[in-house]
Amino acid sequence: NKTGDVGHTSCLELSSCAFSTGDVGNESCRGLEACLENEATIGDFSCTGLHSCKNNAGNVDSESCNGQKACEKNSGTIGFSSCNDLSTPGGQSCSLNSGTIGDGSCQGTNACYNNTGTIGNNSCNGDSACSNNQGNIADGSCNGESACQDDGDRDKVVTIGAGSCNGEAACYRNIGDVSIDACIGELACYRNSGNIGMNSCDGYGACRGNTGPIGILAMNEGEENAVGSCISEEKTSEDVPDGEGYLGVCISNNGAIGDGSCRGVTSCADNEGEIADYACINNFACFSNRGQVLDGGCDGVESCHENKGIVGVNACDGDLSCKGNQNSIGDLSCVGLNACAGNSFKILEEACLGDFACADPNSAINGTYTINSSSCHGFYACSTLDANVGINSCIGDYSCQLSAEDIGNGSCIGLFSCFANTGSIANGSCRTEDVLTCEDVEGDCTQDFTGACTAQSGTIGNGSCIGESSCCGNFEAILDNECRDANSCSSCGE
């Protein structure tokens, strides 16, 4: 009952090629009921295996559809050397396929089973890879066991760019568009629903469960020159010693992430804030972040872990620099180890520079106090602060640590200058400008040097208390331009 041409040593087994109407090449359709009721052209060395190409209606190129039930009830076009699975029991590669499949693709048990989308060359290789796929998959993509596997019941037809979704279960049940060279690694973009940009989501579990847009979406080579976001060095479970405690970069992210951001273990995992370009760099950088991070913000281990405020351009630079921050931070601020850890103050631009500069403020109420621009520079400069700080104030190590009253503009300049201050200080006061750090002091700075207004509790006017220990321990009201020499109004040692 065969009406088409049959090549050399083809259609030899029981019921093979029975009722077939298509041409069959050399050494093809070999297996029980292979090519039974076939309606299309079969190339050379193809459709060998039990029920392979049975009820096939799509053209099959050479060296394809080999294995049990391979391409059974296929109605799509199959390229060269595709849809093969010779494992035992194996089988069903490209079975029920209705889409177009390129060369060298869909190799493995159940690979491209019930596929309805278009699949390029050298793609979807691995057991169950692209099974139930409905999307359009470019060349060199979705390679790995269960890569791009779906449930076949999606309203949206997704597009996956070239060189993407490679790794075991990469893009499993993905419903977001994926750009070029993205979603690389075991479980990368697993159950992702956001659009993934070029060179993004590269790492073990990267962007797993993501819902937000990440990076720059570019589907064609040369369209963009994106660096990529959400990248870690770990690519498979073997790269992670304690797999159960590992959270992939950008896993469960729900916020929009720009280009070149979120690099390092767990960076941007559980993020819900908007993250701009080149931000959140290093391990745990923006883990559980809830605030907006502008360009270049949050560079350091746990730099913005559990941040809740707006982080300015190039702000929060340093390990733990803004961990647990609750308020807005201006551009170029909070630079240094623990610089603004636990902060609840409003911090303006270029403020809080130095290790522990503004760490652990006493005030736990958001928005209560403000640290103005270019202030709090130095080691522990405004640590454990409970007051407003003016412009260009609190410059020097420990300069305003433990201070509890407001400080005006240009005041508290120098080592220990307003340490443990409890009195209000006006503009341009409490200054020892030539001594800013312990390195500027001969001997033990804690024993041999006293700041201008260390432990003072009085009210100090404008331009007063200039020089070492000038108003140390003061408890009286000092008017404008008074006590302008070292030790001139000091009560320390009394």
PDB file of all heavy atoms in Angstrom, residues 425-461:
ATOM      1  N   ILE A 425      25.140  73.560  68.881  1.00  0.00           N
ATOM      2  CA  ILE A 425      26.323  74.233  68.373  1.00  0.00           C
ATOM      3  C   ILE A 425      25.945  74.968  67.095  1.00  0.00           C
ATOM      4  O   ILE A 425      25.390  74.363  66.168  1.00  0.00           O
ATOM      5  CB  ILE A 425      27.456  73.229  68.111  1.00  0.00           C
ATOM      6  CG1 ILE A 425      27.862  72.529  69.426  1.00  0.00           C
ATOM      7  CG2 ILE A 425      28.656  73.907  67.471  1.00  0.00           C
ATOM      8  CD1 ILE A 425      28.845  71.395  69.249  1.00  0.00           C
ATOM      9  N   ALA A 426      26.240  76.252  67.016  1.00  0.00           N
ATOM     10  CA  ALA A 426      25.892  77.071  65.857  1.00  0.00           C
ATOM     11  C   ALA A 426      26.916  76.875  64.736  1.00  0.00           C
ATOM     12  O   ALA A 426      27.665  75.901  64.721  1.00  0.00           O
ATOM     13  CB  ALA A 426      25.781  78.527  66.266  1.00  0.00           C
ATOM     14  N   ASN A 427      26.976  77.803  63.814  1.00  0.00           N
ATOM     15  CA  ASN A 427      27.821  77.669  62.626  1.00  0.00           C
ATOM     16  C   ASN A 427      29.283  78.041  62.893  1.00  0.00           C
ATOM     17  O   ASN A 427      29.574  78.943  63.669  1.00  0.00           O
ATOM     18  CB  ASN A 427      27.287  78.578  61.516  1.00  0.00           C
ATOM     19  CG  ASN A 427      25.861  78.262  61.139  1.00  0.00           C
ATOM     20  OD1 ASN A 427      25.442  77.110  61.193  1.00  0.00           O
ATOM     21  ND2 ASN A 427      25.102  79.286  60.763  1.00  0.00           N
ATOM     22  N   GLY A 428      30.190  77.299  62.221  1.00  0.00           N
ATOM     23  CA  GLY A 428      31.603  77.632  62.244  1.00  0.00           C
ATOM     24  C   GLY A 428      32.275  77.499  63.577  1.00  0.00           C
ATOM     25  O   GLY A 428      33.266  78.197  63.848  1.00  0.00           O
ATOM     26  N   SER A 429      31.824  76.623  64.444  1.00  0.00           N
ATOM     27  CA  SER A 429      32.381  76.487  65.797  1.00  0.00           C
ATOM     28  C   SER A 429      32.972  75.100  66.026  1.00  0.00           C
ATOM     29  O   SER A 429      32.759  74.167  65.262  1.00  0.00           O
ATOM     30  CB  SER A 429      31.284  76.766  66.830  1.00  0.00           C
ATOM     31  OG  SER A 429      30.808  78.088  66.715  1.00  0.00           O
ATOM     32  N   CYS A 430      33.745  75.011  67.132  1.00  0.00           N
ATOM     33  CA  CYS A 430      34.344  73.738  67.570  1.00  0.00           C
ATOM     34  C   CYS A 430      35.237  73.157  66.482  1.00  0.00           C
ATOM     35  O   CYS A 430      34.957  72.105  65.883  1.00  0.00           O
ATOM     36  CB  CYS A 430      33.245  72.742  67.962  1.00  0.00           C
ATOM     37  SG  CYS A 430      32.134  73.341  69.254  1.00  0.00           S
ATOM     38  N   ARG A 431      36.375  73.805  66.246  1.00  0.00           N
ATOM     39  CA  ARG A 431      37.239  73.422  65.133  1.00  0.00           C
ATOM     40  C   ARG A 431      38.698  73.294  65.555  1.00  0.00           C
ATOM     41  O   ARG A 431      39.232  74.155  66.237  1.00  0.00           O
ATOM     42  CB  ARG A 431      37.141  74.461  64.013  1.00  0.00           C
ATOM     43  CG  ARG A 431      35.733  74.667  63.478  1.00  0.00           C
ATOM     44  CD  ARG A 431      35.666  75.876  62.558  1.00  0.00           C
ATOM     45  NE  ARG A 431      36.410  75.656  61.321  1.00  0.00           N
ATOM     46  CZ  ARG A 431      35.861  75.315  60.156  1.00  0.00           C
ATOM     47  NH1 ARG A 431      34.541  75.127  60.088  1.00  0.00           N
ATOM     48  NH2 ARG A 431      36.597  75.153  59.089  1.00  0.00           N
ATOM     49  N   THR A 432      39.303  72.190  65.162  1.00  0.00           N
ATOM     50  CA  THR A 432      40.768  72.010  65.230  1.00  0.00           C
ATOM     51  C   THR A 432      41.163  71.404  63.890  1.00  0.00           C
ATOM     52  O   THR A 432      41.392  70.198  63.773  1.00  0.00           O
ATOM     53  CB  THR A 432      41.183  71.086  66.388  1.00  0.00           C
ATOM     54  OG1 THR A 432      40.448  69.859  66.288  1.00  0.00           O
ATOM     55  CG2 THR A 432      40.906  71.727  67.722  1.00  0.00           C
ATOM     56  N   GLU A 433      41.233  72.223  62.880  1.00  0.00           N
ATOM     57  CA  GLU A 433      41.327  71.751  61.507  1.00  0.00           C
ATOM     58  C   GLU A 433      42.626  71.043  61.183  1.00  0.00           C
ATOM     59  O   GLU A 433      42.691  70.278  60.220  1.00  0.00           O
ATOM     60  CB  GLU A 433      41.115  72.936  60.563  1.00  0.00           C
ATOM     61  CG  GLU A 433      39.756  73.595  60.752  1.00  0.00           C
ATOM     62  CD  GLU A 433      39.552  74.765  59.808  1.00  0.00           C
ATOM     63  OE1 GLU A 433      39.939  74.645  58.637  1.00  0.00           O
ATOM     64  OE2 GLU A 433      39.007  75.787  60.254  1.00  0.00           O
ATOM     65  N   ASP A 434      43.677  71.269  61.932  1.00  0.00           N
ATOM     66  CA  ASP A 434      44.961  70.658  61.613  1.00  0.00           C
ATOM     67  C   ASP A 434      45.090  69.247  62.174  1.00  0.00           C
ATOM     68  O   ASP A 434      46.067  68.557  61.895  1.00  0.00           O
ATOM     69  CB  ASP A 434      46.108  71.532  62.125  1.00  0.00           C
ATOM     70  CG  ASP A 434      46.008  71.802  63.618  1.00  0.00           C
ATOM     71  OD1 ASP A 434      44.887  71.684  64.162  1.00  0.00           O
ATOM     72  OD2 ASP A 434      47.043  72.135  64.226  1.00  0.00           O
ATOM     73  N   VAL A 435      44.126  68.801  62.964  1.00  0.00           N
ATOM     74  CA  VAL A 435      44.161  67.442  63.526  1.00  0.00           C
ATOM     75  C   VAL A 435      42.829  66.772  63.224  1.00  0.00           C
ATOM     76  O   VAL A 435      41.813  67.049  63.865  1.00  0.00           O
ATOM     77  CB  VAL A 435      44.403  67.467  65.055  1.00  0.00           C
ATOM     78  CG1 VAL A 435      44.450  66.037  65.583  1.00  0.00           C
ATOM     79  CG2 VAL A 435      45.702  68.197  65.377  1.00  0.00           C
ATOM     80  N   LEU A 436      42.847  65.879  62.222  1.00  0.00           N
ATOM     81  CA  LEU A 436      41.604  65.217  61.807  1.00  0.00           C
ATOM     82  C   LEU A 436      41.564  63.735  62.158  1.00  0.00           C
ATOM     83  O   LEU A 436      40.482  63.161  62.317  1.00  0.00           O
ATOM     84  CB  LEU A 436      41.413  65.368  60.294  1.00  0.00           C
ATOM     85  CG  LEU A 436      41.242  66.797  59.767  1.00  0.00           C
ATOM     86  CD1 LEU A 436      41.151  66.796  58.245  1.00  0.00           C
ATOM     87  CD2 LEU A 436      40.004  67.447  60.366  1.00  0.00           C
ATOM     88  N   THR A 437      42.726  63.103  62.277  1.00  0.00           N
ATOM     89  CA  THR A 437      42.784  61.679  62.582  1.00  0.00           C
ATOM     90  C   THR A 437      43.826  61.423  63.665  1.00  0.00           C
ATOM     91  O   THR A 437      44.645  62.295  63.994  1.00  0.00           O
ATOM     92  CB  THR A 437      43.158  60.859  61.322  1.00  0.00           C
ATOM     93  OG1 THR A 437      44.534  61.080  61.011  1.00  0.00           O
ATOM     94  CG2 THR A 437      42.285  61.252  60.139  1.00  0.00           C
ATOM     95  N   CYS A 438      43.821  60.230  64.208  1.00  0.00           N
ATOM     96  CA  CYS A 438      44.810  59.863  65.225  1.00  0.00           C
ATOM     97  C   CYS A 438      46.225  59.892  64.663  1.00  0.00           C
ATOM     98  O   CYS A 438      47.197  60.082  65.407  1.00  0.00           O
ATOM     99  CB  CYS A 438      44.490  58.479  65.776  1.00  0.00           C
ATOM    100  SG  CYS A 438      43.138  58.475  66.983  1.00  0.00           S
ATOM    101  N   GLU A 439      46.349  59.723  63.369  1.00  0.00           N
ATOM    102  CA  GLU A 439      47.666  59.768  62.747  1.00  0.00           C
ATOM    103  C   GLU A 439      48.269  61.168  62.813  1.00  0.00           C
ATOM    104  O   GLU A 439      49.489  61.341  62.652  1.00  0.00           O
ATOM    105  CB  GLU A 439      47.568  59.291  61.303  1.00  0.00           C
ATOM    106  CG  GLU A 439      47.190  57.824  61.167  1.00  0.00           C
ATOM    107  CD  GLU A 439      47.088  57.375  59.717  1.00  0.00           C
ATOM    108  OE1 GLU A 439      47.251  58.232  58.825  1.00  0.00           O
ATOM    109  OE2 GLU A 439      46.845  56.186  59.486  1.00  0.00           O
ATOM    110  N   ASP A 440      47.443  62.169  63.020  1.00  0.00           N
ATOM    111  CA  ASP A 440      47.937  63.549  63.127  1.00  0.00           C
ATOM    112  C   ASP A 440      48.438  63.887  64.540  1.00  0.00           C
ATOM    113  O   ASP A 440      48.887  65.011  64.788  1.00  0.00           O
ATOM    114  CB  ASP A 440      46.825  64.533  62.749  1.00  0.00           C
ATOM    115  CG  ASP A 440      46.354  64.356  61.310  1.00  0.00           C
ATOM    116  OD1 ASP A 440      47.187  64.011  60.456  1.00  0.00           O
ATOM    117  OD2 ASP A 440      45.139  64.547  61.046  1.00  0.00           O
ATOM    118  N   VAL A 441      48.346  62.934  65.471  1.00  0.00           N
ATOM    119  CA  VAL A 441      48.708  63.178  66.872  1.00  0.00           C
ATOM    120  C   VAL A 441      49.937  62.354  67.233  1.00  0.00           C
ATOM    121  O   VAL A 441      49.996  61.155  66.942  1.00  0.00           O
ATOM    122  CB  VAL A 441      47.535  62.814  67.811  1.00  0.00           C
ATOM    123  CG1 VAL A 441      47.940  63.014  69.266  1.00  0.00           C
ATOM    124  CG2 VAL A 441      46.309  63.642  67.471  1.00  0.00           C
ATOM    125  N   GLU A 442      50.906  62.970  67.862  1.00  0.00           N
ATOM    126  CA  GLU A 442      52.062  62.228  68.368  1.00  0.00           C
ATOM    127  C   GLU A 442      51.673  61.534  69.664  1.00  0.00           C
ATOM    128  O   GLU A 442      51.153  62.164  70.582  1.00  0.00           O
ATOM    129  CB  GLU A 442      53.241  63.165  68.608  1.00  0.00           C
ATOM    130  CG  GLU A 442      53.791  63.798  67.347  1.00  0.00           C
ATOM    131  CD  GLU A 442      55.011  64.661  67.626  1.00  0.00           C
ATOM    132  OE1 GLU A 442      55.465  64.666  68.789  1.00  0.00           O
ATOM    133  OE2 GLU A 442      55.503  65.317  66.681  1.00  0.00           O
ATOM    134  N   GLY A 443      51.927  60.238  69.726  1.00  0.00           N
ATOM    135  CA  GLY A 443      51.568  59.480  70.917  1.00  0.00           C
ATOM    136  C   GLY A 443      50.181  58.869  70.801  1.00  0.00           C
ATOM    137  O   GLY A 443      49.643  58.680  69.703  1.00  0.00           O
ATOM    138  N   ASP A 444      49.569  58.581  71.948  1.00  0.00           N
ATOM    139  CA  ASP A 444      48.243  57.969  72.005  1.00  0.00           C
ATOM    140  C   ASP A 444      47.186  59.064  71.893  1.00  0.00           C
ATOM    141  O   ASP A 444      47.027  59.894  72.787  1.00  0.00           O
ATOM    142  CB  ASP A 444      48.075  57.208  73.323  1.00  0.00           C
ATOM    143  CG  ASP A 444      46.756  56.443  73.383  1.00  0.00           C
ATOM    144  OD1 ASP A 444      45.887  56.645  72.496  1.00  0.00           O
ATOM    145  OD2 ASP A 444      46.591  55.635  74.309  1.00  0.00           O
ATOM    146  N   CYS A 445      46.447  59.065  70.785  1.00  0.00           N
ATOM    147  CA  CYS A 445      45.499  60.153  70.553  1.00  0.00           C
ATOM    148  C   CYS A 445      44.391  60.188  71.606  1.00  0.00           C
ATOM    149  O   CYS A 445      43.852  61.258  71.902  1.00  0.00           O
ATOM    150  CB  CYS A 445      44.895  60.047  69.152  1.00  0.00           C
ATOM    151  SG  CYS A 445      43.816  58.625  68.878  1.00  0.00           S
ATOM    152  N   THR A 446      44.037  59.047  72.164  1.00  0.00           N
ATOM    153  CA  THR A 446      42.973  59.048  73.174  1.00  0.00           C
ATOM    154  C   THR A 446      43.449  59.613  74.510  1.00  0.00           C
ATOM    155  O   THR A 446      42.632  60.012  75.349  1.00  0.00           O
ATOM    156  CB  THR A 446      42.432  57.624  73.380  1.00  0.00           C
ATOM    157  OG1 THR A 446      43.492  56.781  73.852  1.00  0.00           O
ATOM    158  CG2 THR A 446      41.879  57.059  72.077  1.00  0.00           C
ATOM    159  N   GLN A 447      44.752  59.648  74.722  1.00  0.00           N
ATOM    160  CA  GLN A 447      45.305  60.165  75.976  1.00  0.00           C
ATOM    161  C   GLN A 447      45.934  61.547  75.799  1.00  0.00           C
ATOM    162  O   GLN A 447      45.914  62.368  76.723  1.00  0.00           O
ATOM    163  CB  GLN A 447      46.371  59.189  76.524  1.00  0.00           C
ATOM    164  CG  GLN A 447      45.862  57.790  76.795  1.00  0.00           C
ATOM    165  CD  GLN A 447      44.863  57.752  77.942  1.00  0.00           C
ATOM    166  OE1 GLN A 447      44.979  58.530  78.894  1.00  0.00           O
ATOM    167  NE2 GLN A 447      43.887  56.847  77.850  1.00  0.00           N
ATOM    168  N   ASP A 448      46.487  61.790  74.616  1.00  0.00           N
ATOM    169  CA  ASP A 448      47.294  62.990  74.422  1.00  0.00           C
ATOM    170  C   ASP A 448      46.595  64.089  73.637  1.00  0.00           C
ATOM    171  O   ASP A 448      47.212  65.129  73.346  1.00  0.00           O
ATOM    172  CB  ASP A 448      48.594  62.621  73.693  1.00  0.00           C
ATOM    173  CG  ASP A 448      49.414  61.609  74.479  1.00  0.00           C
ATOM    174  OD1 ASP A 448      49.316  61.629  75.716  1.00  0.00           O
ATOM    175  OD2 ASP A 448      50.121  60.807  73.854  1.00  0.00           O
ATOM    176  N   PHE A 449      45.338  63.882  73.258  1.00  0.00           N
ATOM    177  CA  PHE A 449      44.643  64.917  72.498  1.00  0.00           C
ATOM    178  C   PHE A 449      43.176  65.003  72.932  1.00  0.00           C
ATOM    179  O   PHE A 449      42.521  63.995  73.162  1.00  0.00           O
ATOM    180  CB  PHE A 449      44.710  64.628  70.989  1.00  0.00           C
ATOM    181  CG  PHE A 449      44.096  65.709  70.143  1.00  0.00           C
ATOM    182  CD1 PHE A 449      44.822  66.824  69.777  1.00  0.00           C
ATOM    183  CD2 PHE A 449      42.765  65.625  69.732  1.00  0.00           C
ATOM    184  CE1 PHE A 449      44.248  67.834  69.011  1.00  0.00           C
ATOM    185  CE2 PHE A 449      42.190  66.625  68.971  1.00  0.00           C
ATOM    186  CZ  PHE A 449      42.939  67.730  68.603  1.00  0.00           C
ATOM    187  N   THR A 450      42.668  66.224  73.024  1.00  0.00           N
ATOM    188  CA  THR A 450      41.263  66.456  73.368  1.00  0.00           C
ATOM    189  C   THR A 450      40.642  67.368  72.317  1.00  0.00           C
ATOM    190  O   THR A 450      41.227  68.394  71.956  1.00  0.00           O
ATOM    191  CB  THR A 450      41.125  67.119  74.746  1.00  0.00           C
ATOM    192  OG1 THR A 450      41.796  66.325  75.718  1.00  0.00           O
ATOM    193  CG2 THR A 450      39.657  67.240  75.131  1.00  0.00           C
ATOM    194  N   GLY A 451      39.467  67.012  71.835  1.00  0.00           N
ATOM    195  CA  GLY A 451      38.807  67.807  70.813  1.00  0.00           C
ATOM    196  C   GLY A 451      38.319  69.142  71.333  1.00  0.00           C
ATOM    197  O   GLY A 451      38.193  69.372  72.548  1.00  0.00           O
ATOM    198  N   ALA A 452      37.999  70.034  70.389  1.00  0.00           N
ATOM    199  CA  ALA A 452      37.618  71.399  70.736  1.00  0.00           C
ATOM    200  C   ALA A 452      36.416  71.448  71.665  1.00  0.00           C
ATOM    201  O   ALA A 452      36.384  72.223  72.621  1.00  0.00           O
ATOM    202  CB  ALA A 452      37.321  72.191  69.462  1.00  0.00           C
ATOM    203  N   CYS A 453      35.402  70.614  71.396  1.00  0.00           N
ATOM    204  CA  CYS A 453      34.177  70.646  72.200  1.00  0.00           C
ATOM    205  C   CYS A 453      33.805  69.272  72.733  1.00  0.00           C
ATOM    206  O   CYS A 453      32.617  68.934  72.882  1.00  0.00           O
ATOM    207  CB  CYS A 453      33.023  71.209  71.373  1.00  0.00           C
ATOM    208  SG  CYS A 453      33.259  72.914  70.833  1.00  0.00           S
ATOM    209  N   THR A 454      34.794  68.477  73.027  1.00  0.00           N
ATOM    210  CA  THR A 454      34.536  67.143  73.566  1.00  0.00           C
ATOM    211  C   THR A 454      33.706  67.217  74.846  1.00  0.00           C
ATOM    212  O   THR A 454      34.011  68.001  75.761  1.00  0.00           O
ATOM    213  CB  THR A 454      35.862  66.418  73.857  1.00  0.00           C
ATOM    214  OG1 THR A 454      36.564  66.236  72.632  1.00  0.00           O
ATOM    215  CG2 THR A 454      35.609  65.065  74.487  1.00  0.00           C
ATOM    216  N   ALA A 455      32.631  66.429  74.881  1.00  0.00           N
ATOM    217  CA  ALA A 455      31.783  66.289  76.072  1.00  0.00           C
ATOM    218  C   ALA A 455      31.250  67.613  76.592  1.00  0.00           C
ATOM    219  O   ALA A 455      31.002  67.775  77.786  1.00  0.00           O
ATOM    220  CB  ALA A 455      32.540  65.549  77.176  1.00  0.00           C
ATOM    221  N   GLN A 456      31.045  68.574  75.737  1.00  0.00           N
ATOM    222  CA  GLN A 456      30.496  69.859  76.181  1.00  0.00           C
ATOM    223  C   GLN A 456      28.969  69.770  76.192  1.00  0.00           C
ATOM    224  O   GLN A 456      28.368  69.068  75.388  1.00  0.00           O
ATOM    225  CB  GLN A 456      31.008  70.996  75.307  1.00  0.00           C
ATOM    226  CG  GLN A 456      30.250  71.284  74.037  1.00  0.00           C
ATOM    227  CD  GLN A 456      29.086  72.218  74.232  1.00  0.00           C
ATOM    228  OE1 GLN A 456      29.080  73.054  75.127  1.00  0.00           O
ATOM    229  NE2 GLN A 456      28.075  72.055  73.391  1.00  0.00           N
ATOM    230  N   SER A 457      28.327  70.526  77.071  1.00  0.00           N
ATOM    231  CA  SER A 457      26.870  70.459  77.223  1.00  0.00           C
ATOM    232  C   SER A 457      26.200  71.830  77.180  1.00  0.00           C
ATOM    233  O   SER A 457      24.988  71.941  77.370  1.00  0.00           O
ATOM    234  CB  SER A 457      26.504  69.771  78.538  1.00  0.00           C
ATOM    235  OG  SER A 457      27.069  70.451  79.645  1.00  0.00           O
ATOM    236  N   GLY A 458      26.979  72.880  76.937  1.00  0.00           N
ATOM    237  CA  GLY A 458      26.405  74.222  76.880  1.00  0.00           C
ATOM    238  C   GLY A 458      25.951  74.584  75.483  1.00  0.00           C
ATOM    239  O   GLY A 458      26.041  73.788  74.537  1.00  0.00           O
ATOM    240  N   THR A 459      25.488  75.822  75.343  1.00  0.00           N
ATOM    241  CA  THR A 459      25.088  76.352  74.035  1.00  0.00           C
ATOM    242  C   THR A 459      26.241  77.169  73.476  1.00  0.00           C
ATOM    243  O   THR A 459      26.777  78.046  74.154  1.00  0.00           O
ATOM    244  CB  THR A 459      23.843  77.234  74.164  1.00  0.00           C
ATOM    245  OG1 THR A 459      22.775  76.458  74.700  1.00  0.00           O
ATOM    246  CG2 THR A 459      23.422  77.788  72.815  1.00  0.00           C
ATOM    247  N   ILE A 460      26.618  76.864  72.216  1.00  0.00           N
ATOM    248  CA  ILE A 460      27.768  77.517  71.617  1.00  0.00           C
ATOM    249  C   ILE A 460      27.314  78.302  70.392  1.00  0.00           C
ATOM    250  O   ILE A 460      26.643  77.778  69.503  1.00  0.00           O
ATOM    251  CB  ILE A 460      28.850  76.487  71.228  1.00  0.00           C
ATOM    252  CG1 ILE A 460      29.367  75.782  72.501  1.00  0.00           C
ATOM    253  CG2 ILE A 460      29.995  77.154  70.491  1.00  0.00           C
ATOM    254  CD1 ILE A 460      30.371  74.695  72.231  1.00  0.00           C
ATOM    255  N   GLY A 461      27.673  79.585  70.346  1.00  0.00           N
ATOM    256  CA  GLY A 461      27.286  80.451  69.237  1.00  0.00           C
ATOM    257  C   GLY A 461      28.162  80.273  68.019  1.00  0.00           C
ATOM    258  O   GLY A 461      28.945  79.328  67.910  1.00  0.00           O
TER     259      GLY A 461
END
